[in-house]
Amino acid sequence: MSHTPESAESAPVSFRSEVTVELVKHSAADSDVLWAARVSTAGEQSLEELRKDPERSKGLINYLMRDRHGSPFEHNSMTFFISAPIFVFREFMRHRVGWSYNEESGRYRQLEPVFYVPGGSRKLVQQGRPGKYEFVEGTPAQHELTTRAMEDSYRQAYAAYQEMLAAGVAREVARAVLPVGLFSSMYATCNARSLMHFLGLRTQHELAKVPSFPQREIEMVGEQMEAHWAELMPLTYGAFNANGRIAP
Ligand SMILES: Cc1cc2nc3c(=O)[nH]c(=O)nc-3n(C[C@H](O)[C@H](O)[C@H](O)COP(=O)(O)OP(=O)(O)OC[C@H]3O[C@@H](n4cnc5c(N)ncnc54)[C@H](O)[C@@H]3O)c2cc1C
């Protein structure tokens, strides 16, 4: 869902409920794992040799995953272009190992007025206690309130930002009024091992041996990255799921 309200003429603010993830560059295949693993016993091998025995290849990847021999899963690279609210990026950048980030600047350019509003399917109400809680549907009144409160607040914040810019205040100062629901964008580069660690923590999945309770919005990013990765490295992806989605 994405819309620009007609009433926001002075500040052309728009609201979005989705995050987007584009795979912009990759060098990632199951054969990268096999090469790296087999160098310890067989030296350099051709792709043809690796293709000769697919069952053996699948078995080796599964063994590496199961016994947590992680380094063969690092010889590959995926670069994603991600568009998501700032609060998602705050969580994302806690993942320090095997990740590189570059995010758009609020110092060098004016930030675009695009803000996050939860979609109709976003569960709004938390029940239980931290570490043992679940989210349930909100009522129509809660959805209406959330949308209205967020949109009003975003409009007001962006109007203040524009007012300061118009008065000559520097972008890096004026941006302080913008909330964490503002959309940002970044390139994030990882390898299969660091992605698996991320997915183990930031997605909920029936095959996960260790359950996690991620915020839904970062999970939405994780799900899209996962779908791209599954296409690039199907054997590795299958072994990750078969072994409880624990990064090796
Ligand atoms: C559901 C959920 C709730 C969370 N809630 C909070 C919260 O309330 N507050 C908060 O601050 N954070 C919170 N986090 C963030 C969390 O604490 C981690 O920072 C984040 O998940 C990244 O995990 P990581 O450190 O394992 O990843 P990475 O930084 O990518 O590290 C990968 C691995 O490398 C090793 N490693 C990395 N750095 C070090 C180091 N300095 N010393 C030793 N080993 C290291 C560890 O084995 C680590 O698992 C939450 C995360 C999740 C998934």
Side-chain angles (χ1 to χ4, degrees):
M1 186 188 80
S2 177
H3 65 285
T4 303
E6 287 169 15
S7 58
E9 280 164 17
S10 59
V13 175
S14 65
F15 305 116
R16 276 176 62 187
S17 306
E18 299 96 14
V19 300
T20 55
V21 175
E22 192 187 335
L23 178 69
V24 291
K25 204 167 80 153
H26 61 86
S27 170
D30 290 319
S31 52
D32 299 329
V33 181
L34 297 166
W35 266 311
R38 286 185 183 156
V39 76
S40 46
T41 55
E44 194 183 1
Q45 292 193 306
S46 70
L47 188 56
E48 209 40 54
E49 280 173 284
L50 294 173
R51 282 187 180 138
K52 257 189 235 161
D53 190 349
E55 272 312 304
R56 185 161 166 253
S57 297
K58 189 176 169 189
L60 176 56
I61 287 180
N62 192 59
Y63 154 75
L64 295 168
M65 193 76 71
R66 189 196 65 208
D67 285 15
R68 306 195 70 197
H69 294 299
S71 55
F73 297 100
E74 295 172 7
H75 299 273
N76 57 83
S77 171
M78 290 164 275
T79 299
F80 299 99
F81 181 71
I82 301 169
S83 184
I86 287 171
F87 67 82
V88 169
F89 286 0
R90 277 184 65 171
E91 294 186 348
F92 208 125
M93 289 183 186
R94 299 300 305 280
H95 295 262
R96 299 157 288 176
V97 178
W99 286 91
S100 302
Y101 303 110
N102 279 94
E103 185 180 359
E104 71 176 82
S105 171
R107 299 183 68 203
Y108 304 131
R109 59 190 289 266
Q110 182 173 335
L111 294 164
E112 295 294 319
V114 182
F115 293 93
Y116 178 72
V117 174
S121 62
R122 174 46 158 117
K123 292 178 175 165
L124 285 187
V125 179
Q126 181 182 322
Q127 291 180 341
R129 56 184 165 79
K132 198 176 180 179
Y133 52 70
E134 55 167 3
F135 285 84
V136 296
E137 305 293 341
T139 62
Q142 285 170 324
H143 274 283
E144 191 277 326
L145 169 64
T146 303
T147 302
R148 178 168 46 80
M150 285 188 178
E151 292 187 358
D152 287 353
S153 170
Y154 292 153
R155 273 194 210 100
Q156 200 179 348
Y158 201 76
Y161 176 65
Q162 284 187 309
E163 187 184 354
M164 281 186 274
L165 294 184
V169 175
R171 289 179 292 260
E172 68 181 36
V173 177
R175 68 174 170 175
V177 292
L178 296 175
V180 291
L182 182 76
F183 267 76
S184 187
S185 57
M186 69 169 174
Y187 287 104
T189 299
C190 63
N191 60 57
R193 190 182 191 186
S194 52
L195 181 61
M196 286 187 271
H197 186 67
F198 179 95
L199 295 176
L201 291 168
R202 300 298 185 178
T203 58
Q204 283 194 309
H205 199 284
E206 56 183 6
L207 296 174
K209 264 193 210 150
V210 181
S212 192
F213 302 93
Q215 165 132 10
R216 177 60 192 142
E217 286 75 13
I218 195 169
E219 185 180 38
M220 284 153 54
V221 173
E223 286 171 351
Q224 292 187 45
M225 291 194 302
E226 180 169 337
H228 286 299
W229 172 56
E231 282 192 26
L232 298 175
M233 301 179 75
L235 294 182
T236 305
Y237 180 62
F240 176 57
N241 279 330
N243 288 278
R245 293 173 68 87
I246 294 170

